[in-house]
């Protein structure tokens, strides 16, 4: 593992150098961006290698046992390669575990403790006397490609799903004021970002904790609330993609905005299961019959709507009947993009106390059956794009032995987790961040193939 590559003009050779290893989900990535933005504002230099760093920050993930292991391995590697290490992020909540395993780490801070982690950096490598504030890009430091960015609107979660320890790591929901979020979004758009990915633990709950308080943006008052956020972001004229949205009734109001093209007709809606006894044991609020009805109505309003979801198979107590009900539900829902996890007993999760754990071999078999079922559904769903011309955003341009390879995405594909649109008639002038018109010629199980007939304006 190497620290994330960071392409920045270094402000001065004499300023202290900070290396970073950022692990975990997009929310952790945004935490890293915020910390780096602050450090760069103070005149630190950011480095993509261990070798020259005065101190290395490791932003950890503690969601699954496999993620904890990866975080511990990253701390060990940073210590071996550099020796001066500060640990932050979700696993930082378990300070004793880290300090007992790695007594030489300089400091351990928990999730979203920005002040503490910056203070620890100051302690380990004092900031230069004259901060180079004028060299800080207005949009902050981003670890994503220039043309898309994650926008985090809240921390924590008010739900208490029995398989999840995020609320105990990150606390209850704390929403950022809408004015602050919109100003950040505007700066990103002005800096050339063409796609904003809206994230939090429960985006549909945005603003509940602050009673939807109002703030002003562009001379108009907006409520800190899901619908106002979508409306306001829709004014920026760039792609806006909504992640981690639960199918609550108030989400219905955002679908017409999708039909009008204000925000992308795409919803990432983690559902986890379809059988009521399992949803109850998971402490999920949803009723999947109502969700089916809701999806049907959404598609009437916005036929292009693409739905993504994630599910867990092999949750304690899941019977063959529960699992078959889930497969039947998938057939009825016809979701476009689906991820599936085998249940993992996360240390500290309430679900670990549940009876009737599912044997590993059964979990494995169910996971394969689930993926086969969904793969066929996804492949059929993708066929509807063949023959259509869609705007696509270019992610990568690579030179291969066989010629140029251009990888793009349409409104139906979120970066990293969904499929791609592969452009066949590539031209040397195309570069990452370009928006093209692409006529879809072929659909596979996950990706589309297309020819472009020029830029999309
Ligand atoms: S909604 Fe459930 S799974 Fe998601 S962060 Fe909150 S408690 Fe965890």
């Amino acid at each position: 593992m190497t620290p994330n590559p960071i392409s920045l003009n270094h402000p001065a050779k004499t300023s202290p150098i900070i290396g970073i290893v950022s692990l975990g989900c997009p929310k952790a990535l945004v935490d890293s961006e915020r910390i780096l933005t602050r450090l760069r504002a103070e005149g630190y230099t950011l480095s993509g290698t261990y070798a020259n760093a005065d101190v290395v920050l490791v932003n950890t993930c503690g969601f699954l046992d496999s993620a904890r292991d990866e975080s511990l391995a990253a701390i060990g590697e940073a210590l071996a390669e550099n020796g001066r290490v500060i640990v932050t992020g979700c696993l930082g909540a378990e300070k004793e575990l880290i300090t007992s395993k790695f007594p030489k780490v300089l400091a351990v801070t928990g999730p979203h403790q920005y002040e503490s982690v910056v203070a620890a950096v100051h302690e380990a490598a004092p900031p230069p006397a004259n901060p180079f504030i004028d060299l800080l890009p207005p949009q902050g430091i981003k670890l994503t490609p220039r043309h898309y960015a994650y926008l985090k609107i809240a921390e924590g979660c008010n739900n208490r799903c029995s398989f999840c320890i995020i609320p105990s790591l990150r606390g209850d929901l704390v929403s950022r004021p809408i004015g602050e979020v919109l100003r950040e979004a505007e700066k990103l758009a002005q800096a050339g970002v063409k796609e904003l990915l809206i994230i939090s633990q429960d985006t549909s709950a945005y603003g509940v904790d602050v009673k939807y308080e109002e703030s002003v943006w562009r001379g108009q008052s907006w409520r800190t609330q899901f619908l106002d956020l979508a409306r306001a972001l829709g004014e920026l004229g760039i792609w806006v993609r909504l992640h981690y949205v639960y199918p609550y009734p108030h989400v219905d109001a955002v679908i017409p905005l999708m039909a009008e093209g204000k925000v992308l007709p795409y919803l990432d809606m983690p559902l986890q299961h379809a059988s009521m006894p399992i949803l109850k044991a998971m402490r999920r609020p949803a009723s999947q019959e109502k969700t089916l009805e809701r999806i049907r109505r959404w598609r009437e309003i916005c036929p292009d709507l693409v739905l993504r979801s994630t599910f867990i198979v092999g949750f304690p107590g899941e019977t063959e009947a529960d699992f078959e009900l889930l497969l039947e539900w998938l057939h009825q829902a016809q979701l476009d993009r689906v991820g599936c996890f085998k249940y993992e007993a996360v240390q500290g999760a309430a679900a670990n106390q549940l009876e009737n754990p599912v044997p590993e071999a059964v979990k494995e078999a169910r996971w394969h059956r689930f993926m086969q079922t969904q793969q066929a559904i996804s492949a059929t769903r993708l066929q509807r794009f063949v023959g259509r011309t869609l705007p696509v955003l270019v992610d990568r341009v690579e030179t291969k032995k066989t010629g140029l390879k251009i990888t793009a995405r349409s409104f139906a594909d979120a970066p990293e987790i969904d499929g791609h649109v592969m452009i066949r008639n590539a031209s040397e002038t195309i570069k990452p961040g370009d928006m093209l018109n692409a006529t879809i010629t072929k659909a596979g199980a996950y990706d589309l193939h297309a020819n472009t007939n020029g830029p999309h304006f």
Side-chain angles (χ1 to χ4, degrees), residues 157 159-161 163-164 166-167 201 246 284:
C157 184
N159 300 322
R160 293 294 181 266
C161 304
F163 55 83
C164 177
I166 284 178
Q201 306 297 342
Y246 291 92
R284 305 281 293 181

Side-chain angles (χ1 to χ4, degrees), residues 27 63 156-167 200-202 244 246 248 270 272 282-285:
K27 287 153 262 187
F63 182 46
C157 184
N158 285 348
N159 300 322
R160 293 294 181 266
C161 304
S162 60
F163 55 83
C164 177
I165 56 167
I166 284 178
S200 68
Q201 306 297 342
D202 178 358
Y244 315 116
Y246 291 92
Y248 300 133
Q272 313 303 3
M282 286 178 166
R283 298 196 203 139
R284 305 281 293 181

